[in-house]
Amino acid sequence: MIAFLDGLSFILEWVYVFVFFRIWYSFLPLRKNRIMKILAVIPFSFMAVCVIYSNELTNLTFLLIGMIVYVIGFHRGAWVEKATAVLIFYPALVAVNYLMLDSGMKFFYFYSGLPYGEDSALHPETLLSSTVIHTMTLLFRLLFWIGAGAFLKKYFEAGSRNLTTKMWLVIDGLMASSFLAVFTIIYLMPEKNFVAYPICGTAIFASFGCIYLVYYICESAKTAYRAKALASQQIYY
């Protein structure tokens, strides 16, 4: 049974990687080179499944550095667009991965009655329940990103090529607060504290809200351009 669940977990993780990868490049296009597009999946898979713990700076920092290097190397677009992608998706990825892991751990120790932090491998009778809970958290994460991708699809299809550098900087400024909040709350908040949960939820909401904001600004710019074109035609006639 445990071997089956481990195999299922492996499948769920890779399906999640491809779902999240699709969402990512829908917002920020990959380089046109076909080989680069294929290779882009490899480093992305490590970023997508990055484990986030409370009071642990290493993974938070390396994930951030990895994202910055990744968008520079594998994506096209202006630097400000790449910065926006990092500021939008870093808080969401960190928040979701942290919530998935931390809530699963808390539920397991509550269910098993083991002291918090004790290795479940030391107790064979609880190993199955640990594996089941881990698989369920991976399933919930996958379902979350599938739902997020379906919800955000129409906003990605609108494109973001109409934004000026100043518009991108405004969005970056808005996302900077969410970025800093997630980074500091997870790093500084002690374990077994649920205060980080609502902040993580707010960061996810803010990330999706900024994607909608990009869409809204693009549509407003298109509407203003059409109105200007119609006014010019009217003057001409």
Side-chain angles (χ1 to χ4, degrees):
M1 183 65 176
I2 292 178
F4 169 77
L5 290 172
D6 287 338
L8 181 59
S9 296
F10 178 80
I11 295 172
L12 290 173
E13 279 208 328
W14 273 103
V15 174
Y16 150 70
V17 166
F18 283 106
V19 169
F20 189 32
F21 183 66
R22 182 176 177 82
I23 295 173
W24 177 282
Y25 77 71
S26 294
F27 181 83
L28 188 66
L30 291 164
R31 295 192 183 276
K32 294 182 179 180
N33 186 291
R34 184 169 296 180
I35 296 177
M36 290 290 285
K37 289 182 178 179
I38 296 172
L39 292 177
V41 179
I42 299 173
F44 186 87
S45 65
F46 288 98
M47 293 192 303
V49 301
C50 182
V51 178
I52 304 296
Y53 296 102
S54 297
N55 309 127
E56 205 273 329
L57 184 61
T58 304
N59 282 6
L60 284 171
T61 304
F62 276 104
L63 177 59
L64 176 58
I65 295 172
M67 274 193 173
I68 294 172
V69 173
Y70 183 82
V71 297
I72 293 173
F74 289 97
H75 289 272
R76 51 194 167 95
W79 68 268
V80 71
E81 298 175 48
K82 295 179 180 182
T84 303
V86 173
L87 288 171
I88 286 178
F89 285 104
Y90 177 84
L93 176 60
V94 167
V96 171
N97 284 7
Y98 171 77
L99 290 174
M100 179 204 74
L101 176 69
D102 195 71
S103 61
M105 288 175 58
K106 284 182 170 61
F107 181 77
F108 166 74
Y109 286 113
F110 172 80
Y111 174 79
S112 66
L114 293 175
Y116 189 84
E118 185 169 339
D119 190 353
S120 62
L122 301 176
H123 302 266
E125 66 276 8
T126 62
L127 188 57
L128 178 60
S129 60
S130 173
T131 307
V132 170
I133 292 171
H134 175 67
T135 304
M136 292 302 297
T137 56
L138 294 178
L139 176 61
F140 291 147
R141 180 175 65 177
L142 172 60
L143 293 176
F144 171 82
W145 283 112
I146 289 175
F151 174 73
L152 298 170
K153 183 179 179 181
K154 69 174 183 178
Y155 304 129
F156 291 138
E157 290 174 348
S160 56
R161 303 300 100 188
N162 296 342
L163 270 65
T164 64
T165 300
K166 288 183 178 179
M167 292 177 180
W168 282 113
L169 288 174
V170 169
I171 296 170
D172 290 351
L174 293 173
M175 281 308 303
S177 58
S178 175
F179 171 89
L180 292 173
V182 167
F183 191 96
T184 54
I185 197 70
I186 292 178
Y187 175 55
L188 298 176
M189 189 58 60
E191 293 185 8
K192 298 195 286 186
N193 196 314
F194 289 93
V195 174
Y197 283 32
I199 297 199
C200 287
T202 303
I204 296 169
F205 179 80
S207 294
F208 294 166
C210 271
I211 292 174
Y212 172 77
L213 180 61
V214 170
Y215 163 81
Y216 178 80
I217 293 174
C218 285
E219 291 300 299
S220 299
K222 289 178 183 177
T223 302
Y225 177 79
R226 293 191 194 105
K228 186 176 180 180
L230 288 173
S232 300
Q233 288 180 4
Q234 185 177 17
I235 293 172
Y236 174 78
Y237 289 132

